Amino acid sequence: MTTTTTTPSIATSKGMRSRERRRRLIMGGIFLAAALFIWFVFVANITPGAQTTFLMAPGGSSNETADWVFSTGITLNVIAGILALLGVFQVVRGFGKITNSILAVVAILFIFGFLTWATSGGQTNLAGLLRVMVVRAVPLTLGALSGILCERSGVVNIGIEGMMLTAAFVSTVFASLSHNLWIGMLSGILAGGLMGLIHAVLSIKYKINQIISGTVINIFATGITSYLSSKFLQKTSYQFLNEPGMFPQVEIPLLSKIPFIGPILFHHNIYVYAMIILVLFLSFMLFKTRWGLRVRAVGEHPKAADTLGINVFKTRYMAVILGGMMAGFAGTYFTLGSSGRFDEVLTAGRGFIGLAAMIFGNYNPIGSMGAGLLFGFFDSLSVKASLLQVPLPSEFLGMVPYLATIIVLAGVVGKGHIPAADGEPYEKE
Amino acid sequence: MSPEKPQESKKNGLAIFWEEFSRSNFLVIFLAIFTGIILGGVLVAVTTPEVYDAFKVSFFAGIGKAFMTAVNTYGALLTGAIGNPEKIQAAFASGDPLLIRRAINPFFESLVQTTPYIFAGLSVALGFRVGLFNIGAEGQIYIGALTGVWAGYAIPGLPPIIHIPVAMLCGALGGAMWGFVPGLLKAKTGAHEVITTIMMNYIAFRFSDWLLKGPMADPTEVTPKTPWILESAQLPQLFANPIRFHIGFFIALLMAFLVYLLLFKTTWGMELRMVGSNTNAAQYAGINVTSRTVIAMVLAGGLAGMAGANEVLGVNHRLIPAFSSGYGFDSIALALLGKSHPLGVVLSALLFGFLRNGARSMQLTVGVPIDIVSILQALILAFIAAPAIIRTIYRLKTPKHTEDIVSLRSWKG
């Protein structure tokens, strides 16, 4: 809610201080709660002397790494102890600027503790779990990057899902017809860019509500791809249109031989490497170049940017089209990088989780990849939930990304930075 | 529309009427639907291989074939939606009640499809009126169906006169609960309801998957399904089989009337609309924006929840996974088409319901996939949301007062 009150600056800073104090206490409370949860739920529910076994090489990997066996109880107590110490420090002194990083550490430790507990008395393939996590993070992170490009320039994009779907379809057809995966990928990227252009025209030129424009794109993309798919791609007589093939796995020399980490990070198809490169590239472009400064200026204060001679419309058009191309690239992952064929609505809501990853990652490429990896982990875990020693419905693991995003939005762990002019059409005077 | 001023009186009445009409919203709505249908027809024609074969013969043969393909498709859609006149005539001539019921069934089946659209459309429209974008209708429908079906099978020994309202109310409460969370977050923390309702949708899907597999599963079934609801909770059907038309349609109309009364005939409704049109002014006028936001989302959720309850109590009589298939998402387009007015919502729900039902039999008879309906809806939505496109195509005059169909609060809340 916008309250336009003219409070004296002293009162404001006092208010900010009390808010910061509140946040400090809440965070400390979260850390302590995590510690207590481990003690009272995990430690209380293990058989004494139980061992946890993590397999350190993914199934089918040539990389021989010894299993990691350790005592469940001791590990859990150590983790809970660390969390409690961090919590106490946070309550008493506060970590200040690095609080968010500490929160990430707490989250990772807690998840590790959970895995240790859930594996107690059995074994879990940790390397396999993390490998799948990286793979699952790809469409989420790329989707988030698409959102970042658009929203940093001030255009809300909830049409990522539809853009992905269109690109997935187009790339399948073109790759099948040309028997060339690269042509398929390129056509998918262009299709995504075209959807971005439509979004841009509707929301920048015609100034229609950007959420409605995104909804149009989602409904239209779902409709047209399902229509064409059930009319052609799913029919046996048109199977030649639905055989795009898939990008092979590329092993990075030397790096893939590193025990444990090698198979997790350096034995994938090009999409995983592309994700990492694009995240770094976009961070650099957004925060270190003139172009990035302009995009952000247009997203924060278009009028000021205009006054300084930046073409607001052109900048937004470009950002949204690039965002569409990014979503298009993410869409080609589903067909050319993952399933090797197109099926109706195969994106299955990943575009929306990408949107969530963008928010969770605070509109920052690297943060979004972190969020993508976190959500990918739960995705990966929910597949393997039945293999764990504890009964945990995979549906609840699947809820984690959405719950986490709501919690972030609610500002429990501190307000993120939303571009100030996000969602507002610009009127030139 | 304000009446024309005297200096225009030199023009004759018809010209004045036309000028007024071409500036009005109704023409744009009509042309948006019309253009959407034309483009849909073009799409059907260009994706039919036989059309290309005809073009190989001659250009005019191709055009003729394309035209006939589109006409046949929409013909099949129309007879699928309202019934085949010849069959109806023959059935009435034969006098066999079963034949008659079969012949007029498509029309009533369309009304059955319309019913959840009315509830869900009202939900989204109510949100728009208060400046809230409820993308969460789909999730609220799921939760409403879950709570509704639970009340339907788990509370034995009630007479229908009590059981039906109780079950509907349970559905409304479930949906309301799902709307309450985004409403509260919006009001208290400014978390944007678009994102929170999207997230709530997915939480609802996962949650209902879990419930259908576990706590609410019918133990006698292999696939995840709930038990059948008790007969006392079924919404009564007005005709014998195969017509599934039930009183839910009239409940939906009643709700539309109630929403109309609430929004336009009560102080409360005026306050709600004031929050939607100008939050700051509303706050200045002493309206509690926080509570109105929460109330609006609760009401919107409740209406969507009733859509879910209506489906399980009136049509399916049990809950199966993925039962809603997009009513909630379609209703966004629907509410905008209806200009967020209850009467408009009812009319566009009828359009969507007839389209949906017609398309289903069209898919069977002429093999055009049902997804053509989504394409039509997206096109219509785009044209309604950007009337400038329609006004440019048809060279219409721009209205004197550009009126926003939705005045949403800023992204940051």
Side-chain angles (χ1 to χ4, degrees):
Chain A
M1 235 99 315
T2 42
T3 39
T4 43
T5 42
T6 47
T7 20
S9 59
I10 300 167
T12 322
S13 74
K14 206 182 258 173
M16 265 176 71
R17 218 175 296 153
S18 86
R19 211 179 307 148
E20 243 160 47
R21 191 169 158 269
R22 215 178 114 223
R23 179 166 180 250
R24 203 187 78 208
L25 293 178
I26 290 176
M27 287 287 238
I30 292 173
F31 298 175
L32 286 173
L36 290 177
F37 195 86
I38 292 180
W39 267 315
F40 286 104
V41 179
F42 295 170
V43 177
N45 280 311
I46 49 171
T47 44
Q51 300 254 315
T52 295
T53 307
F54 284 140
L55 305 186
M56 301 302 274
S61 165
S62 57
N63 211 322
E64 288 291 327
T65 312
D67 297 345
W68 186 17
V69 187
F70 53 87
S71 160
T72 313
I74 295 171
T75 314
L76 284 177
N77 277 313
V78 168
I79 292 174
I82 296 172
L83 293 184
L85 281 179
L86 289 174
V88 168
F89 186 81
Q90 171 71 13
V91 170
V92 179
R93 290 281 310 275
F95 282 101
K97 281 187 173 167
I98 56 164
T99 308
N100 277 340
S101 316
I102 299 292
L103 179 67
V105 170
V106 168
I108 290 170
L109 279 175
F110 183 80
I111 291 169
F112 186 78
F114 164 76
L115 268 185
T116 306
W117 170 67
T119 315
S120 146
Q123 57 180 38
T124 296
N125 191 331
L126 187 65
L129 203 61
L130 293 180
R131 203 186 118 79
V132 176
M133 166 188 88
V134 173
V135 173
R136 299 284 169 117
V138 169
L140 311 183
T141 306
L142 293 174
L145 293 186
S146 162
I148 290 170
L149 272 164
C150 297
E151 310 222 0
R152 280 282 181 179
S153 80
V155 179
V156 170
N157 183 8
I158 66 162
I160 301 170
E161 176 87 359
M163 294 171 176
M164 282 184 175
L165 204 51
T166 315
F169 177 86
V170 171
S171 66
T172 303
V173 173
F174 277 82
S176 306
L177 286 176
S178 67
H179 299 292
N180 186 328
L181 291 168
W182 295 100
I183 290 181
M185 185 199 271
L186 188 70
S187 66
I189 293 172
L190 291 178
L194 183 70
M195 296 306 268
L197 177 66
I198 294 174
H199 185 47
V201 170
L202 287 177
S203 58
I204 301 170
K205 176 153 188 253
Y206 288 104
K207 297 191 177 60
I208 82 173
N209 183 291
Q210 294 165 4
I211 295 162
I212 295 175
S213 171
T215 309
V216 167
I217 285 175
N218 284 335
I219 301 177
F220 184 77
T222 315
I224 192 113
T225 55
S226 302
Y227 173 85
L228 292 173
S229 171
S230 62
K231 187 133 190 179
F232 299 109
L233 264 54
Q234 306 302 327
K235 298 231 171 102
T236 33
S237 51
Y238 288 100
Q239 266 314 297
F240 63 92
L241 287 174
N242 201 0
E243 286 163 352
M246 261 167 74
F247 280 103
Q249 308 250 323
V250 181
E251 216 171 317
I252 306 234
L254 293 176
L255 288 177
S256 66
K257 295 284 175 257
I258 304 173
F260 187 58
I261 295 171
I264 294 174
L265 280 181
F266 302 109
H267 192 179
H268 288 285
N269 62 23
I270 52 159
Y271 282 94
V272 171
Y273 311 130
M275 166 182 81
I276 296 167
I277 292 167
L278 282 170
V279 163
L280 297 176
F281 180 68
L282 189 62
S283 298
F284 173 76
M285 288 301 283
L286 270 180
F287 299 112
K288 301 281 175 216
T289 66
R290 195 155 62 163
W291 174 81
L293 184 64
R294 284 183 177 172
V295 168
R296 289 184 293 131
V298 163
E300 292 292 341
H301 203 316
K303 199 176 260 175
D306 198 0
T307 318
L308 292 171
I310 299 173
N311 188 335
V312 175
F313 295 115
K314 201 178 123 193
T315 312
R316 284 194 172 173
Y317 264 104
M318 206 158 105
V320 175
I321 292 170
L322 284 175
M325 292 168 86
M326 186 68 82
F329 180 63
T332 64
Y333 159 80
F334 289 97
T335 50
L336 308 181
S338 173
S339 71
R341 58 175 281 120
F342 183 85
D343 287 299
E344 281 160 42
V345 204
L346 85 171
T347 46
R350 297 277 161 55
F352 290 114
I353 310 186
L355 197 70
M358 172 192 78
I359 295 164
F360 201 85
N362 205 4
Y363 297 81
N364 180 316
I366 293 174
S368 297
M369 184 162 77
L373 287 169
L374 181 70
F375 295 171
F377 176 79
F378 282 100
D379 202 0
S380 165
L381 192 62
S382 73
V383 178
K384 294 207 160 95
S386 55
L387 300 177
L388 295 176
Q389 307 298 313
V390 289
L392 188 72
S394 62
E395 288 85 2
F396 284 99
L397 291 170
M399 279 182 204
V400 168
Y402 313 112
L403 284 172
T405 306
I406 290 181
I407 290 169
V408 166
L409 275 174
V412 179
V413 289
K415 269 255 186 294
H417 172 78
I418 305 172
D422 207 5
E424 316 255 355
Y426 180 63
E427 303 263 9
K428 206 173 161 73
E429 278 158 21
Chain B
M1 288 298 125
S2 59
E4 287 292 321
K5 290 286 170 283
Q7 70 257 32
E8 303 253 357
S9 63
K10 278 173 210 156
K11 292 182 186 169
N12 65 38
L14 199 67
I16 293 173
F17 173 77
W18 175 248
E19 197 167 318
E20 276 298 295
F21 188 61
S22 69
R23 280 194 177 128
S24 75
N25 277 325
F26 295 104
L27 189 62
V28 171
I29 292 176
F30 171 78
L31 287 174
I33 296 171
F34 175 76
T35 316
I37 287 174
I38 295 285
L39 288 177
V42 171
L43 179 78
V44 171
V46 299
T47 54
T48 306
E50 288 82 18
V51 171
Y52 295 96
D53 296 339
F55 266 111
K56 278 176 202 150
V57 179
S58 80
F59 178 73
F60 289 105
I63 293 288
K65 182 74 194 168
F67 184 71
M68 284 316 293
T69 308
V71 167
N72 280 338
T73 305
Y74 283 127
L77 195 149
L78 198 64
T79 51
I82 61 171
N84 188 336
E86 288 165 21
K87 263 193 198 162
I88 295 174
Q89 220 169 7
F92 273 104
S94 77
D96 180 356
L98 182 65
L99 279 183
I100 295 177
R101 286 204 300 273
R102 269 194 200 142
I104 59 172
N105 187 28
F107 177 79
F108 285 105
E109 186 59 29
S110 292
L111 292 183
V112 170
Q113 300 287 334
T114 302
T115 310
Y117 274 136
I118 298 179
F119 285 118
L122 286 172
S123 163
V124 180
L126 186 83
F128 279 145
R129 286 284 173 181
V130 195
L132 296 164
F133 208 133
N134 182 18
I135 295 200
E138 187 81 3
Q140 292 148 12
I141 290 175
Y142 266 79
I143 300 299
L146 284 168
T147 48
V149 81
W150 177 82
Y153 73 74
I155 311 178
L158 291 178
I161 193 81
I162 298 173
H163 201 174
I164 291 172
V166 164
M168 278 305 261
L169 201 68
C170 273
L173 281 176
M177 198 173 67
W178 228 244
F180 172 74
V181 177
L184 186 73
L185 290 175
K186 169 86 173 185
K188 289 282 181 200
T189 72
H192 200 282
E193 77 279 2
V194 167
I195 306 293
T196 47
T197 51
I198 289 175
M199 301 303 141
M200 291 298 279
N201 278 344
Y202 284 98
I203 295 173
F205 302 157
R206 299 282 183 281
F207 190 56
S208 75
D209 280 350
W210 176 69
L211 283 178
L212 288 185
K213 265 198 244 165
M216 284 175 76
D218 184 345
T220 61
E221 294 277 355
V222 186
T223 52
K225 287 179 183 125
T226 66
W228 294 101
I229 60 166
L230 301 169
E231 210 154 299
S232 55
Q234 293 178 4
L235 292 172
Q237 299 187 344
L238 273 72
F239 304 96
N241 280 332
I243 300 180
R244 302 195 292 174
F245 184 64
H246 57 87
I247 61 161
F249 181 70
F250 300 106
I251 301 176
L253 290 183
L254 178 71
M255 291 316 292
F257 184 63
L258 289 179
V259 169
Y260 169 76
L261 287 185
L262 169 75
L263 279 178
F264 299 102
K265 300 290 169 199
T266 63
T267 323
W268 229 51
M270 194 208 69
E271 289 179 0
L272 282 177
R273 282 185 293 130
M274 202 163 155
V275 171
S277 54
N278 192 335
T279 314
N280 287 340
Q283 204 153 30
Y284 193 69
I287 297 171
N288 186 341
V289 175
T290 309
S291 80
R292 295 300 180 278
T293 304
V294 178
I295 288 169
M297 278 309 289
V298 165
L299 289 177
L303 285 164
M306 288 180 84
N310 168 77
E311 285 302 276
V312 289
L313 301 177
V315 183
N316 300 323
H317 297 158
R318 75 187 324 182
L319 190 54
I320 48 172
F323 84 106
S324 160
S325 52
Y327 283 117
F329 295 122
D330 291 353
S331 56
I332 299 165
L334 192 158
L336 289 167
L337 182 60
K339 300 279 176 196
S340 302
H341 189 283
L343 180 64
V345 165
V346 171
L347 292 176
S348 31
L350 284 167
L351 175 73
F352 277 39
F354 277 76
L355 271 178
R356 191 184 177 111
N357 183 43
R360 210 191 288 171
S361 75
M362 170 196 75
Q363 185 168 17
L364 295 175
T365 49
V366 292
V368 174
I370 190 168
D371 308 287
I372 189 79
V373 175
S374 300
I375 299 171
L376 288 182
Q377 285 169 0
L379 289 172
I380 294 173
L381 176 57
F383 295 143
I384 294 284
I389 301 176
I390 288 292
R391 290 186 195 278
T392 318
I393 297 175
Y394 296 98
R395 303 185 188 287
L396 298 180
K397 300 238 165 59
T398 41
K400 282 170 189 152
H401 312 284
T402 42
E403 178 204 3
D404 262 344
I405 37 170
V406 259
S407 52
L408 293 167
R409 282 183 243 163
S410 101
W411 186 238
K412 296 183 80 175

